[in-house]
């Protein structure tokens, strides 16, 4: 069972470069989201999606773009990398749950550690 | 807005000691509450959950009770092991697949 797969595991970028972090899930989950993890700050929501073709901003969306063309994939694009984007990025997915409220537990990928110099 | 506050770490315990990690929340409505655990180099895994007031979530010897009157969801374990060393996150759901996380508490258990 693959679950949520993130690539790459590690990435080093120079300031101003762009890149895409890949995320794929094979559980047919409706909801997908991207978080960044920084020391002492827990995880903060960047962008999320409630289904194919639908995305919205989270708490810290600036500098990132997303799209959701299929149920399985939810890539995160860094448009012009900055040192402040050095972080560990986690993709997560979840189902609507029995009541359709989206309160089901999240399934996480293993993360992408990004360093911007 | 909604928020989660956890006790600061790191927490260092000896094996077989009792563990409490405090978590309080601010939320409108009746969110579901979760504890996630992150082992070194890995993503977060669900440890336990509670969906309504007075629910007790439990897993692997860990327990937490959803206390609406004190807006708390403290994590407890009666006897910790070295293998419990990890970072623990308290979280609440805002629906739509979104979670609000606390800042995380690092636990280190010494033999």
């Amino acid at each position: 069972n693959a679950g949520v797969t993130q690539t790459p595991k590690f990435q080093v970028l120079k300031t101003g470069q762009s890149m895409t972090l890949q995320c794929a899930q094979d559980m047919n989950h409706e909801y997908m989201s991207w978080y960044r993890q920084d020391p002492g700050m827990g995880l903060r929501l960047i962008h999320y999606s409630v289904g194919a073709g639908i995305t919205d901003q989270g708490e810290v969306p600036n500098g990132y773009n997303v799209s959701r063309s299929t149920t399985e994939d939810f890539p995160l694009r860094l448009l012009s990398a900055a040192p402040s984007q050095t972080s560990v990025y986690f993709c997560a997915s979840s189902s609507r749950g029995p009541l359709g409220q989206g309160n089901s537990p999240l399934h996480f990928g293993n993360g992408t550690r990004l360093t911007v110099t | 807005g909604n928020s989660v506050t956890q006790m600061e770490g790191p927490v260092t315990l000896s094996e077989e000691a009792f563990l409490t990690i405090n978590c309080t929340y601010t939320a409108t409505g009746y969110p579901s509450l979760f504890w996630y655990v992150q082992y070194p180099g890995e993503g977060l895994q669900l440890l336990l959950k509670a969906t309504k007031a007075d629910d007790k979530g439990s897993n692997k010897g860990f327990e937490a009770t959803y206390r609406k009157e004190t807006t708390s969801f403290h994590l407890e374990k009666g006897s910790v092991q070295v293998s419990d060393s990890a970072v623990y996150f308290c979280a609440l759901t805002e629906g739509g697949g979104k979670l609000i996380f606390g800042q995380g508490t690092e636990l280190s258990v010494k033999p």
Side-chain angles (χ1 to χ4, degrees):
Chain A
N1 293 334
V4 178
T5 302
Q6 289 184 239
T7 56
K9 292 187 187 303
F10 302 95
Q11 183 69 51
V12 178
L13 293 177
K14 295 187 188 304
T15 297
Q17 287 184 316
S18 62
M19 78 158 295
T20 299
L21 279 62
Q22 301 292 343
C23 175
Q25 53 95 5
D26 62 358
M27 297 171 283
N28 202 32
H29 283 167
E30 297 89 346
Y31 301 125
M32 296 187 75
S33 50
W34 277 101
Y35 292 83
R36 59 177 288 173
Q37 182 180 19
D38 301 292
M41 303 187 73
L43 279 78
R44 294 180 292 169
L45 182 65
I46 304 171
H47 285 285
Y48 66 100
S49 169
V50 299
I54 306 170
T55 63
D56 206 346
Q57 297 180 349
E59 180 185 356
V60 288
N62 292 340
Y64 308 95
N65 272 357
V66 293
S67 60
R68 183 103 180 265
S69 56
T70 66
T71 299
E72 295 78 19
D73 300 301
F74 191 45
L76 178 73
R77 297 182 186 85
L78 278 69
L79 309 173
S80 177
S84 61
Q85 293 179 303
T86 293
S87 187
V88 181
Y89 292 85
F90 288 100
C91 178
S93 73
S94 63
S95 68
R96 283 194 202 282
L99 300 178
Q101 295 174 330
N103 291 333
S104 297
L106 268 59
H107 296 253
F108 283 86
N110 283 336
T112 295
R113 184 174 295 276
L114 175 68
T115 302
V116 183
T117 61
Chain B
N2 298 342
S3 66
V4 175
T5 301
Q6 288 180 236
M7 65 184 285
E8 290 190 15
V11 174
T12 302
L13 296 174
S14 298
E15 208 166 22
E16 299 184 1
F18 184 86
L19 169 71
T20 299
I21 300 178
N22 289 338
C23 171
T24 57
Y25 68 91
T26 302
T28 55
Y30 302 94
S32 295
L33 301 175
F34 304 89
W35 277 100
Y36 282 82
V37 59
Q38 184 181 32
Y39 299 103
E42 298 184 10
L44 279 71
Q45 303 173 24
L46 177 67
L47 181 60
L48 53 84
K49 67 176 183 179
T51 58
K52 60 184 186 297
D54 300 325
D55 263 3
K56 177 185 283 189
S58 61
N59 186 26
K60 298 181 182 180
F62 291 90
E63 293 182 340
T65 301
Y66 190 163
R67 301 286 188 199
K68 190 159 178 63
E69 64 276 13
T70 55
T71 62
S72 64
F73 193 53
H74 304 322
L75 182 69
E76 296 182 337
K77 186 174 185 182
S79 177
V80 293
Q81 306 301 312
V82 172
S83 57
D84 294 327
S85 298
V87 181
Y88 292 82
F89 292 92
C90 184
L92 66 82
T93 180
E94 293 194 309
K98 295 178 290 180
L99 289 186
I100 300 292
F101 286 90
Q103 69 268 40
T105 301
E106 182 179 0
L107 171 66
S108 178
V109 181
K110 305 298 184 186

